[in-house]
Amino acid sequence: IAASPTPVPEGIANATFRLDWRALLGSVTPVLFVLWLLGIVILLGYGVFCCIRVKRLVKNAIPYEDNIWLCEGLQTPFLFGWRNPQIYLPTNMEEAQIQYVVEHEKAHIARGDNYTKIIGYVLLSVYWFNPLIWVAYVMFCKDVERACDERVIGGFSPEDRKGYAEAL
């Protein structure tokens, strides 16, 4: 016995289906907003966590001169701080290298890189979903370092440039 087809109401038989974009966006937008905020919170939280970790690492640093500190266990010199940036150097650095490294870090202070890096990281945190922002942030960080290098070696003799390159 063959089954008889179910009758289709006349209004539906000729209907075309349309996707209601407003309803779809209305239901997806809150989810995307929460994901976006979650990404911001995670990245900013990670930044705060890293700052706390660095603070703990340098808490036993010993003063070298002015705003320069020597710290046991550091792998590389760096600048840390927002309002009163401090230069931290590993204790195992040679005296000849210290001069060049300090000049480099002072160039960061003079250029205000401690502020621009924070602004760059906040922008990265807000626009974390865009892969081009990640590329731009990495390139920005490299450019900051190159700009400091160029500022420092601008008045150096060729011999001093060689010493600077070896120190860094």
Side-chain angles (χ1 to χ4, degrees):
I1 299 176
S4 62
T6 308
V8 177
E10 193 171 311
I12 294 179
N14 296 326
T16 57
F17 292 99
R18 289 189 199 155
L19 187 56
D20 186 1
W21 288 103
R22 288 184 187 150
L24 181 64
L25 285 177
S27 64
V28 171
T29 302
V31 173
L32 294 177
F33 180 71
V34 168
L35 286 174
W36 174 65
L37 283 179
L38 186 62
I40 292 172
V41 168
I42 288 170
L43 282 172
L44 291 178
Y46 177 73
V48 169
F49 169 76
C50 288
C51 286
I52 292 170
R53 192 175 65 190
V54 169
K55 270 278 217 208
R56 287 183 184 157
L57 180 67
V58 299
K59 74 179 179 183
N60 294 325
I62 55 174
Y64 180 71
E65 62 182 48
D66 296 333
N67 66 334
I68 304 167
W69 298 77
L70 296 174
C71 187
E72 189 83 30
L74 291 183
Q75 302 297 319
T76 182
F78 62 90
L79 182 67
F80 185 69
W82 179 59
R83 288 191 301 166
N84 290 327
Q86 305 290 314
I87 298 170
Y88 292 94
L89 307 172
T91 53
N92 60 353
M93 283 189 74
E94 297 175 23
E95 193 68 33
Q97 291 179 327
I98 289 177
Q99 172 195 354
Y100 294 123
V101 170
V102 167
E103 287 298 317
H104 177 88
E105 298 303 331
K106 284 184 177 181
H108 279 298
I109 294 171
R111 289 175 30 85
D113 290 339
N114 50 324
Y115 301 112
T116 56
K117 292 273 289 230
I118 291 171
I119 292 169
Y121 189 78
V122 168
L123 287 172
L124 173 71
S125 299
V126 170
Y127 297 103
W128 62 266
F129 55 87
N130 186 339
L132 293 178
I133 292 295
W134 289 89
V135 172
Y137 183 73
V138 169
M139 293 174 68
F140 163 72
C141 291
K142 289 180 181 179
D143 285 345
V144 163
E145 292 303 321
R146 287 185 193 117
C148 283
D149 291 339
E150 287 186 24
R151 182 178 184 140
V152 170
I153 66 171
F156 278 8
S157 68
E159 187 174 303
D160 283 337
R161 287 180 184 200
K162 181 181 177 188
Y164 180 80
E166 290 173 0
L168 295 181

